[in-house]
Amino acid sequence: MRILIIEDEKEIADGLEAILSRENYSVDVVDNGISGLDYILSGMYDLAVLDIMLPGMNGIDVLKKARSEGVTVPVILLTAKSQLSDKIEGLDSGADDYITKPFDAEELLARIRARTRASGSASSDELSFGDIILSKHRQELRCGERSVKLGHKEFQLMECLMINSSRIMPKDTLITKVWGPLDDTEYNNIEVYVSFLRKKLRFIKASVQIVTTKNVGYSIEVKDNG
């Protein structure tokens, strides 16, 4: 299960990441509202822990924008504010729950378990697009009777493209999600892995292809064989 933490206080963010990682959650951390919104909109997460006071865009605005875009992922607000009005505003903006700093780790974990159970948000084992199926458990890509195993980064990249199949994913967004911050010498990693995935799509004779939009990013589409 993937959890997104949007928190700008490094000590708190690091603590949350450590707590959740020990519970075998896959965790991503961002430290500002603008990036946090991009991550939520990716559709890759089962739950988000969202601080209200953030640079760039505050947590309430992030939440309102995400909900207006149709994002249904459960959101737990994390805030130093304890006033009733702040809690009401957060819940009215689409939050599923809130917890006030300082918080108890066991209480947070219990709230996460409750929200993911209530939402039924545990991801299906399979994603599909066109004639391909991506199995999360087996980390395998299938088309009809043909299948191929994917490496960890290949799988993450393909998963992100399939979850966001209706839009072009910016190169920088894909890099950050799959590799995290990179230096310039590693920046071309994505092109190498896109090449690997294209070869594997051809191997299983899929009609799906990865399309490059110059100076923008990548998307997937079904080839027109007509």
Side-chain angles (χ1 to χ4, degrees):
M1 184 175 291
R2 289 188 174 181
I3 295 180
L4 174 65
I5 299 169
I6 309 173
E7 168 61 70
D8 65 317
E9 294 185 48
K10 189 176 189 314
E11 186 175 343
I12 293 175
D14 289 348
L16 283 168
E17 184 177 16
I19 291 166
L20 295 174
S21 296
R22 282 198 300 269
E23 297 296 316
N24 296 317
Y25 292 111
S26 177
V27 183
D28 287 332
V29 180
V30 292
D31 63 2
N32 67 86
I34 294 172
S35 296
L37 178 60
D38 286 340
Y39 273 58
I40 288 180
L41 292 177
S42 74
M44 294 180 67
Y45 299 96
D46 300 292
L47 182 138
V49 178
L50 172 64
D51 188 24
I52 288 182
M53 302 301 292
L54 292 167
M57 179 185 293
N58 69 61
I60 296 296
D61 288 342
V62 170
L63 183 57
K64 287 179 178 178
K65 181 63 175 174
R67 295 303 189 223
S68 73
E69 294 287 334
V71 173
T72 60
V73 61
V75 173
I76 297 176
L77 286 180
L78 182 63
T79 177
K81 296 181 177 180
S82 58
Q83 290 89 347
L84 180 61
S85 60
D86 295 316
K87 297 173 182 177
I88 291 172
E89 183 181 13
L91 293 170
D92 284 346
S93 298
D96 297 271
D97 203 349
Y98 63 84
I99 192 165
T100 304
K101 304 174 190 175
F103 56 86
D104 180 81
E106 290 304 318
E107 180 185 2
L108 176 62
L109 290 170
R111 288 174 183 266
I112 288 171
R113 290 191 295 268
R115 287 302 152 191
T116 52
R117 282 198 304 269
S119 68
S121 66
S123 301
S124 166
D125 178 60
E126 295 184 338
L127 290 172
S128 62
F129 177 80
D131 59 358
I132 63 172
I133 295 173
L134 182 68
S135 169
K136 299 180 183 181
H137 177 68
R138 298 173 63 85
Q139 210 157 296
E140 179 182 84
L141 192 62
R142 301 198 311 271
C143 178
E145 298 299 316
R146 298 175 72 90
S147 65
V148 63
K149 290 285 187 181
L150 300 182
H152 185 59
K153 297 299 184 186
E154 291 174 324
F155 173 81
Q156 288 183 304
L157 182 56
M158 196 69 205
E159 181 186 35
C160 194
L161 289 171
M162 291 178 72
I163 288 173
N164 296 278
S165 59
S166 62
R167 63 190 183 113
I168 299 169
M169 289 296 291
K171 184 176 181 179
D172 287 347
T173 300
L174 287 169
I175 289 171
T176 301
K177 290 182 187 306
V178 177
W179 285 274
L182 296 177
D183 61 39
D184 291 340
T185 62
E186 299 173 299
Y187 199 75
N188 290 328
N189 274 354
I190 189 169
E191 295 172 6
V192 174
Y193 280 84
V194 166
S195 176
F196 291 161
L197 285 174
R198 283 173 171 155
K199 289 177 182 176
K200 291 186 176 183
L201 286 168
R202 288 196 294 270
F203 174 77
I204 61 174
K205 298 184 178 179
S207 65
V208 173
Q209 62 183 353
I210 300 173
V211 178
T212 303
T213 301
K214 190 175 181 180
N215 299 324
V216 180
Y218 298 95
S219 59
I220 55 173
E221 65 179 34
V222 177
K223 289 182 285 190
D224 182 3
N225 295 319

